[in-house]
Amino acid sequence: MFCIESDVNWKPSIAALLSVGLLTACTQETPDRGGGQREARALPVQAVEVHPRDLSRVVTISNSVEPLRTIRLAARTEGVLTEVLVEEGDTVAEDQILARIDVREQQAELARARARLHERQATFDRFEQLRERNYVDLASYESARAELEVAATEVELWETRVEFGTVTSSIDGTVVSRYIEPGEAISRHAALFSIADLSSLVVRLGVSELDVGNLRVGDAVVVNVDAVGDRNPLSGVIRRIFPAAEIESRLITVEVGLPEALGAGVRPGFLARARLLVEQRANVLAVPAGSVAESDGEFFVMVVNGDDRLERRVIEPGVIRGAWREILSGLGEGDRVVSANPLEMTAGERVRVVDLMS
């Protein structure tokens, strides 16, 4: 209760006293409805609930689809092509005739060799009869037999050269390239055809030496080929991992088989993008990378406890994958962690979660 004496100017005094009373009221906590004091307002925060996540690392590598096996047929003799019986796209079987080369000269040599063989055979037969009667010495007999053997090998030689005039496929497959036309003169070892086994398609990928160590033959691979549209994705499997890296690029070739490719309409030369799982980290606890702070050599996060107060929790962090960081220890599934700026917060501070991400 304020006392105001009658001999002073009371109007200014009342105004001053009212100002002091208002200032005092502003510095005191406002009583709550129950007669107690209301606590300081809670700090609004965004939090994330800790759950297992897949932080596996996947790399995407592109390359062209290739047949598993492609051979280049070359001419085994020189001459002029008299016939070319197949073209690109034709399916061929093993030992099927693809082209013929003019070998009339070789055929003439073969006829001469056969005649010489007939002559040497007759000579040897006569020497053999004489030898049985001891009319010729052993040296003459052996000489006749040697000449017979030489004549026989001459026949075999020219038969082989005549056979070289017929070009046949060495595998079942499809002609993917034809390099010749009828009437052309070709040299020995000149390329004639490329034949591919389209029943087995692969994509060969250059993988970093840092990533290839976690890959294994038989691992599943997801492959997308733009050319086949909605038939994607295609399943692949690692067939083999090459034993050495390329000298210039330091990349190691990983061959991925595409068992579904042919049925999906994939052809050699189509561009394929393969997703390789180079590091498996499935079902690991993780928090936003920005929620982890370091102080005095310790990593920690701010956890919202059951009383809606902040708790400083020391953790052991793992790898970072994009926006997430693996937690090796210190947190459990279901914990609520402040998602950002832990260094700006104080343990024990009362908070209000305005956005809880799961």
Side-chain angles (χ1 to χ4, degrees):
M1 180 175 180
F2 297 106
C3 297
I4 304 176
E5 295 182 1
S6 59
D7 59 341
V8 292
N9 187 350
W10 58 270
K11 290 184 179 180
S13 300
I14 293 175
L17 290 171
L18 289 173
S19 299
V20 172
L22 289 173
L23 180 60
T24 303
C26 290
T27 60
Q28 295 177 349
E29 293 179 337
T30 305
D32 61 16
R33 294 179 181 178
Q37 299 297 323
R38 181 181 301 170
E39 297 182 357
R41 294 184 62 184
L43 175 69
V45 295
Q46 185 182 54
V48 61
E49 191 169 1
V50 179
H51 289 297
R53 300 180 185 276
D54 188 357
L55 298 188
S56 299
R57 189 161 68 90
V58 176
V59 297
T60 300
I61 305 176
S62 302
N63 207 352
S64 298
V65 176
E66 306 174 37
L68 175 62
R69 183 167 61 146
T70 301
I71 63 168
R72 289 171 63 91
L73 286 179
R76 295 183 292 178
T77 187
E78 59 185 15
V80 176
L81 287 161
T82 57
E83 287 183 286
V84 179
L85 305 175
V86 295
E87 56 187 14
E88 291 90 339
D90 287 350
T91 301
V92 297
E94 185 177 358
D95 295 329
Q96 179 178 333
I97 297 175
L98 308 180
R100 289 189 173 90
I101 302 171
D102 184 2
V103 288
R104 287 177 292 179
E105 181 179 349
Q106 290 88 333
Q107 289 172 336
E109 292 290 348
L110 174 60
R112 179 187 298 177
R114 285 174 174 168
R116 188 178 299 113
L117 174 62
H118 180 74
E119 178 185 358
R120 293 292 184 267
Q121 183 68 56
T123 301
F124 176 73
D125 290 343
R126 184 170 65 255
F127 268 78
E128 190 172 35
Q129 293 174 359
L130 294 174
R131 176 61 182 166
E132 291 174 354
R133 299 176 184 178
N134 292 322
Y135 289 163
V136 294
D137 55 48
L138 180 60
S140 299
Y141 170 78
E142 292 295 341
S143 177
R145 185 168 65 177
E147 291 177 356
L148 175 61
E149 291 175 353
V150 170
T153 58
E154 284 287 328
V155 170
E156 290 179 5
L157 172 65
W158 289 107
E159 284 177 343
T160 301
R161 290 182 176 178
V162 169
E163 184 181 328
F164 285 170
T166 303
V167 180
T168 60
S169 175
S170 56
I171 63 169
D172 296 334
T174 301
V175 178
V176 293
S177 297
R178 189 180 96 171
Y179 310 110
I180 54 173
E181 293 295 336
E184 286 188 31
I186 59 172
S187 61
R188 189 179 182 186
H189 303 312
L192 306 178
F193 304 95
S194 285
I195 300 176
D197 179 7
L198 299 185
S199 63
S200 299
L201 298 179
V202 299
V203 56
R204 296 184 174 100
L205 309 170
V207 180
S208 168
E209 58 187 357
L210 302 177
D211 296 331
V212 76
N214 294 318
L215 299 177
R216 297 291 182 270
V217 173
D219 286 354
V221 180
V222 177
V223 180
N224 284 274
V225 180
D226 293 342
V228 300
D230 57 4
R231 297 180 184 177
N232 286 306
L234 304 176
S235 63
V237 62
I238 295 179
R239 292 189 69 256
R240 57 177 174 160
I241 300 173
F242 284 36
E246 296 181 6
I247 296 176
E248 295 182 359
S249 66
R250 306 305 306 164
L251 299 178
I252 295 177
T253 300
V254 175
E255 185 178 83
V256 177
L258 306 174
E260 301 175 351
L262 192 61
V266 177
R267 296 291 181 266
F270 285 7
L271 182 66
R273 289 192 298 273
R275 291 170 52 84
L276 297 174
L277 180 62
V278 297
E279 187 176 357
Q280 178 75 40
R281 287 186 180 272
N283 297 319
V284 298
L285 296 181
V287 297
S291 68
V292 179
E294 183 182 5
S295 177
D296 298 328
E298 285 187 335
F299 292 92
F300 69 92
V301 296
M302 284 297 185
V303 176
V304 181
N305 63 22
D307 296 329
D308 287 337
R309 291 187 179 277
L310 292 179
E311 174 187 336
R312 187 178 187 274
R313 186 80 61 82
V314 176
I315 55 98
E316 181 183 358
V319 299
I320 297 177
R321 291 284 184 267
W324 297 94
R325 186 159 196 173
E326 180 185 15
I327 301 299
L328 300 177
S329 64
L331 291 176
E333 185 175 355
D335 284 344
R336 295 180 299 167
V337 175
V338 177
S339 60
N341 304 321
L343 288 171
E344 299 177 4
M345 299 179 182
T346 304
E349 187 175 6
R350 187 168 178 267
V351 296
R352 176 169 54 91
V353 178
V354 296
D355 185 12
L356 181 62
M357 299 183 296
S358 58

